[in-house]
Amino acid sequence: VPVEIMDKMMNEVIEKGNVLFIKILSMIVLLFMLIFMIQLKRKKELARIAYVDEITGGDTYAKFCISVRKILENNPENLAILNINIDGFKFFNNIFGYEEGDKVIRFIWTTLNDIKQTKEFHAHHYADNFYALFYFEDKKQLFDRLLIFYKKLQNYAVSDTKKYMLTPHIGIYEIKNPDIDINNMINYSNLARKSIKERKDIFYAFFDNTFENKQLHDSIIESQMRDALEKEEFVVYLQPKYNTLEQKIVGAEALVRWKKEDGTTIVPMNFIPLFEKNRFITELDKYIHTVVCKKQKLWLDMGLNPVPISINLSRLNFYNPNFVKIFKEILDNIGLPPQYIQFEITETAILENIDFLNKTIDQLYNLGFKILIDDFGVGYSSMMLLRDTRIHALKLDKSFIDSIGDMRTDKIVYHTINLAHSLKIEVIAEGVETEEQYKFLKAINCDSIQGYYFSKPITEFVFEKILMNK
Ligand code: C2E
Ligand code: CA
Ligand code: CA
């Protein structure tokens, strides 16, 4: 083959190869570009989900936190984190529906936008919860700005003709130290807002260290409670109940006290609400039941003819399916007959879940324990309870005893006692402090009296002496 023809063919092959190479290369480049574009779109989409709130179209909570962190890097002054929500927003949703609820959320967002100054920002978190970062010079100036916000919300128009007063609740955390973790700042603004929960007279609150102290107080108690139970720091005091006519002791109520190693005594008000929250109360109630059963058995064996002692039962016990079995076993193991133990259950606890609690109350009743209704008369359906719950006695709440002398109270107390007696239910008056109260209760046949007028809660030792001399 001549050289020229060879060269020509070679050139053609090279040319074709080049074209093919360029084609493949551009396809690869195109492919990479396509992948890059898809990724970019996906990134944008993810960023939108993470940083753009679906309802308001504004920032999300995540974006808010990032923005606050960035601002705090430069150690700015005069900043505050605000936590905002609407008092009773649930009701609004229930009345008008979720779509209208979303409109309210958008309205709050735009209202915040309207009062916003440069470098300030805010975000919708969830439900009716918002966070905002505000600059402020002093509390008065901040208040003036918040008042504008408040007034706008109070004038919210659901439609052209219908107004609805939205009331914001605002918790404010003034940032004094920018190094504090933002989650804590958020938490503090939350605590401040919660401190005015359900209050109608005030719509904003600043975080103050007492909230933190309360948290600290709670966490100290929580760290000590189990040890305290083991070390027998929870002690039982007994407050005698007197028969009204003869003024003889007919029973007693077990009331717990926390005697710490350092000699201080803590009263129930300062730890029971926390124990209700962290559910430790069920352990404590079981312990008090055990202590009282043992003491009663001892007094029985000593021939002291003990009177029944009532134990306060938190409503949380009823949510443990084995509760009756456990309490009965404790009694049986100690060898005490059930008539020496009574249980006090508050009226509000029963009304909270009446059908469910009645089943357990029936079991206790059938085992021979007496059931007393504590704080009777303050619940909303006291009559329903009298109709449906098997009880031996009701303890008329101290608030009724306090207002004896007032004509309406006197009539209510008088007729409640008669009504209870006609249903074969005894009545115990709680918190009797004066002779006047005692005389009135005696005149209208109240069965027993408990209160400072006769005796404060006393130690087991003092109570034992009284039993000995009875
Ligand atoms: P409660 O069951 O209504 O007990 C009556 C409270 O009123 C007791 O307060 C008692 O000391 C007080 N009190 C009695 N008579 C008078 C009076 O004449 N005047 C005044 N001002 N107060 C009187 P305490 O011992 O501080 O107990 C407070 C609450 O703590 C109790 O209210 C009860 O709900 C709860 N509690 C106490 N011990 C226990 C327990 O072992 N378990 C559970 N679950 N709760 C308990
Ligand atoms: Ca009680
Ligand atoms: Ca009571």
Side-chain angles (χ1 to χ4, degrees), residues 106-241:
R106 279 189 284 274
F107 179 73
I108 298 170
W109 191 81
T110 35
T111 311
L112 280 169
N113 237 5
D114 292 346
I115 61 166
K116 175 177 116 106
Q117 295 176 352
T118 40
K119 285 205 209 154
E120 290 182 344
F121 41 88
H122 53 274
H124 172 229
H125 189 197
Y126 62 89
D128 56 329
N129 244 287
F130 282 81
Y131 287 98
L133 183 89
F134 266 45
Y135 280 88
F136 76 106
E137 284 146 28
D138 54 48
K139 286 188 176 175
K140 167 83 179 65
Q141 182 252 4
L142 181 64
F143 170 73
D144 289 344
R145 291 184 63 194
L146 293 181
L147 195 62
I148 298 171
F149 176 69
Y150 175 84
K151 284 184 180 160
K152 286 193 174 191
L153 261 61
Q154 290 271 294
N155 269 315
Y156 179 67
V158 183
S159 64
D160 291 344
T161 50
K162 219 185 295 163
K163 285 228 155 123
Y164 190 95
M165 277 165 61
L166 296 169
T167 304
H169 271 172
I170 306 173
I172 307 160
Y173 174 68
E174 190 183 337
I175 303 175
K176 289 186 180 140
N177 174 5
D179 294 332
I180 293 179
D181 186 65
I182 171 156
N183 291 318
N184 286 339
M185 296 184 184
I186 294 273
N187 196 11
Y188 294 151
S189 68
N190 256 305
L191 280 172
R193 180 183 54 75
K194 283 181 187 155
S195 73
I196 50 168
K197 208 177 165 170
E198 274 160 31
R199 283 198 37 191
K200 309 283 172 209
D201 54 330
I202 180 167
F203 77 94
Y204 71 97
F206 278 85
F207 172 80
D208 116 23
N209 284 338
T210 52
F211 301 142
E212 203 174 15
N213 289 343
K214 170 137 189 356
Q215 271 201 332
L216 191 68
H217 169 262
D218 286 358
S219 61
I220 290 173
I221 286 198
E222 280 188 323
S223 70
Q224 294 173 342
M225 63 192 187
R226 281 171 208 288
D227 258 5
L229 193 65
E230 252 170 45
K231 289 191 205 147
E232 302 185 357
E233 287 182 11
F234 293 105
V235 294
V236 173
Y237 270 55
L238 296 166
Q239 187 177 32
K241 294 172 193 166

Side-chain angles (χ1 to χ4, degrees), residues 21 51 113 128 140 152 158 165 185 187 243 246 260 279 296 328 330 366 386 416 434 443 468:
F21 176 73
Y51 298 142
N113 237 5
D128 56 329
K140 167 83 179 65
K152 286 193 174 191
V158 183
M165 277 165 61
M185 296 184 184
N187 196 11
N243 166 291
E246 297 159 354
K260 290 198 158 186
R279 308 192 145 251
Q296 288 285 65
K328 176 74 165 79
I330 292 171
N366 292 336
L386 285 183
T416 305
T434 68
M468 283 173 165

Side-chain angles (χ1 to χ4, degrees), residues 22-39:
I22 288 168
K23 270 186 185 167
I24 289 172
L25 194 72
S26 34
M27 262 160 77
I28 289 173
V29 170
L30 264 170
L31 197 70
F32 271 110
M33 268 168 72
L34 200 70
I35 291 171
F36 178 74
M37 298 247 290
I38 289 171
Q39 271 185 344

Side-chain angles (χ1 to χ4, degrees), residues 260-288:
K260 290 198 158 186
E261 265 175 339
D262 61 10
T264 52
T265 301
I266 315 184
V267 292
M269 193 182 80
N270 291 332
F271 57 87
I272 293 215
L274 178 67
F275 289 2
E276 293 259 354
K277 237 194 269 169
N278 64 23
R279 308 192 145 251
F280 187 64
I281 190 68
T282 56
E283 299 282 316
L284 183 63
D285 283 354
K286 195 168 87 184
Y287 174 76
I288 300 293

Side-chain angles (χ1 to χ4, degrees), residues 253 312 344 346 374-376 395-398 430:
E253 175 178 5
N312 288 287
E344 295 193 12
T346 63
D374 209 350
D375 306 341
F376 184 84
K395 300 186 76 179
L396 207 49
D397 189 65
K398 186 176 184 301
E430 274 197 299

Side-chain angles (χ1 to χ4, degrees), residues 322-470:
N322 295 321
F323 146 70
V324 175
K325 197 173 143 240
I326 295 169
F327 273 56
K328 176 74 165 79
E329 263 171 22
I330 292 171
L331 185 96
D332 288 347
N333 289 341
I334 292 167
L336 183 75
Q339 70 259 32
Y340 292 102
I341 298 292
Q342 304 177 338
F343 292 119
E344 295 193 12
I345 309 158
T346 63
E347 185 190 49
T348 43
I350 299 176
L351 293 174
E352 189 184 274
N353 202 343
I354 191 159
D355 293 334
F356 179 67
L357 257 70
N358 276 346
K359 282 195 191 116
T360 315
I361 289 175
D362 276 349
Q363 288 176 21
L364 290 169
Y365 191 105
N366 292 336
L367 287 172
F369 294 108
K370 282 199 172 175
I371 310 294
L372 278 45
I373 300 305
D374 209 350
D375 306 341
F376 184 84
V378 294
Y380 291 114
S381 321
S382 308
M383 291 299 159
M384 194 159 89
L385 193 147
L386 285 183
R387 188 192 64 193
D388 297 340
T389 310
R390 285 217 281 171
I391 56 169
H392 289 92
L394 52 90
K395 300 186 76 179
L396 207 49
D397 189 65
K398 186 176 184 301
S399 57
F400 288 98
I401 310 306
D402 284 342
S403 55
I404 281 177
D406 159 70
M407 201 177 60
R408 289 174 81 104
T409 302
D410 291 357
K411 283 188 177 161
I412 291 169
V413 173
Y414 170 76
H415 289 292
T416 305
I417 291 175
N418 283 336
L419 175 64
H421 285 168
S422 69
L423 297 168
K424 306 221 158 18
I425 295 169
E426 283 182 24
V427 179
I428 304 163
E430 274 197 299
V432 177
E433 291 178 342
T434 68
E435 188 172 1
E436 183 210 347
Q437 292 165 350
Y438 168 65
K439 280 189 172 157
F440 175 73
L441 292 162
K442 188 175 162 188
I444 60 168
N445 285 327
C446 179
D447 302 278
S448 358
I449 303 282
Q450 185 186 345
Y452 294 173
Y453 180 63
F454 281 122
S455 171
K456 287 198 167 183
I458 51 180
T459 62
E460 295 169 8
F461 312 106
V462 178
F463 194 78
E464 188 175 296
K465 292 230 168 72
I466 296 177
L467 282 183
M468 283 173 165
N469 300 328
K470 201 169 70 166

Side-chain angles (χ1 to χ4, degrees), residues 85-108:
N85 80 7
I86 300 299
D87 182 34
F89 184 66
K90 242 203 287 177
F91 293 117
F92 185 92
N93 265 337
N94 288 344
I95 299 170
F96 299 105
Y98 287 100
E99 261 177 42
E100 287 299 323
D102 283 356
K103 278 190 200 160
V104 166
I105 288 165
R106 279 189 284 274
F107 179 73
I108 298 170

Side-chain angles (χ1 to χ4, degrees), residues 276-309:
E276 293 259 354
K277 237 194 269 169
N278 64 23
R279 308 192 145 251
F280 187 64
I281 190 68
T282 56
E283 299 282 316
L284 183 63
D285 283 354
K286 195 168 87 184
Y287 174 76
I288 300 293
H289 175 63
T290 313
V291 170
V292 172
C293 284
K294 280 185 182 161
K295 203 82 226 180
Q296 288 285 65
K297 171 75 170 135
L298 186 77
W299 286 336
L300 196 63
D301 291 348
M302 284 164 75
L304 287 182
N305 197 13
V307 291
I309 294 179

